[in-house]
Amino acid sequence: MDGRWVEVGDGVFARRYRELDLTVGLVLGGERALVVDTRGDARQGVEWAAAVRALIALPLVVAITHAHFDHCFGTAAFRPCPVFAHPACRAAIVATAAAQRAEWSAYYRDRGDDDTAAALACTDPPLPDAAAPTVLDLGGRTVALAHPGRGHTDHDLVVHVDDVVFAGDLVEQGAPPSVGPDSVAAEWPGTLDALLALRPRVVVPGHGDPVDAAFVAEQRDGLA
């Protein structure tokens, strides 16, 4: 499985995957490191965890941006580290995991990707441990975990460190934002206004390459 690192700040990394054009993240502190999202099944989670461990040996903390399978079904590979998310994320995983597993396993089977279909079909995603704190101390570096508002889901969580924001699927590069049945489209532009108020230099989307604030403003206008 492919994956490449992109350094977006001092000790702040995105990792890019061809599969679903997914982007996950890693923030290094002096005592701990924060993993942003865990990929889409148990096998993918193991690869992502191994990539992290090849880079650092620090204790880990995980933040989940939202409950869609491609961002949270790989969490077991990072246990027993703490896993944080918006409180509604846990309920959304409980309510939708089985349906997501069935839908996307069928998607991969139809594409002829039997390995991914089988891995996903066997994945039972662990639930987040607790609601995300507003501030996370990684040792010499603090990270803000914020719910700027509803948009892609009703529980989107962003990770703000220095001048970088990991936006989850509130922002997408390379494709239009995904407006699904659990999206709150009417509130999404205002949520992106709140994200832009953080004054990011770099915004890391849930899918696609890192972008700047002007890209996010253009996507906000398109959504509006």
Side-chain angles (χ1 to χ4, degrees):
M1 289 183 284
D2 69 295
R4 61 180 175 87
W5 292 106
V6 180
E7 189 168 8
V8 294
D10 182 18
V12 184
F13 300 88
R15 187 163 173 86
R16 297 280 288 110
Y17 290 96
R18 283 197 299 267
E19 179 57 42
L20 299 180
D21 205 17
L22 187 73
T23 307
V24 292
L26 180 67
V27 181
L28 308 185
E31 299 171 4
R32 296 190 290 176
L34 173 66
V35 171
V36 183
D37 287 341
T38 60
R39 301 194 68 199
D41 61 47
R43 183 183 62 154
Q44 291 180 3
V46 166
E47 185 281 332
W48 173 212
V52 170
R53 284 305 180 206
L55 195 67
I56 52 127
L58 291 167
L60 300 178
V61 180
V62 170
I64 300 297
T65 60
H66 63 292
H68 292 165
F69 86 101
D70 46 334
H71 296 268
C72 67
F73 272 33
T75 299
F78 294 91
R79 291 297 199 184
C81 74
V83 180
F84 298 116
H86 185 279
C89 181
R90 182 185 178 97
I93 294 173
V94 171
T96 68
Q100 291 192 69
R101 190 164 46 237
E103 176 186 356
W104 285 92
S105 295
Y107 167 85
Y108 285 112
R109 281 195 301 272
D110 290 346
R111 290 180 59 195
D113 187 350
D114 292 336
D115 289 343
T116 301
L120 181 53
C122 294
T123 298
D124 185 16
L127 298 175
D129 298 300
T134 55
V135 176
L136 191 61
D137 183 3
L138 300 181
R141 164 173 262 170
T142 57
V143 177
L145 305 179
H147 172 57
R150 303 191 299 177
H152 181 63
T153 69
D154 67 355
H155 57 268
D156 298 297
L157 186 77
V158 303
V159 175
H160 181 205
V161 53
D162 302 332
D163 55 2
V164 178
V165 172
F166 290 88
D169 285 3
L170 287 169
V171 177
E172 292 198 35
Q173 183 275 333
S178 176
V179 181
D182 55 348
S183 298
V184 188
E187 297 179 23
W188 200 332
T191 297
L192 291 181
D193 281 334
L195 188 155
L196 288 167
L198 300 174
R199 302 176 61 85
R201 175 184 58 87
V202 176
V203 176
V204 181
H207 301 267
D209 288 322
V211 298
D212 59 13
F215 180 95
V216 177
E218 183 177 354
Q219 198 153 90
R220 173 204 60 200
D221 294 345
L223 283 161

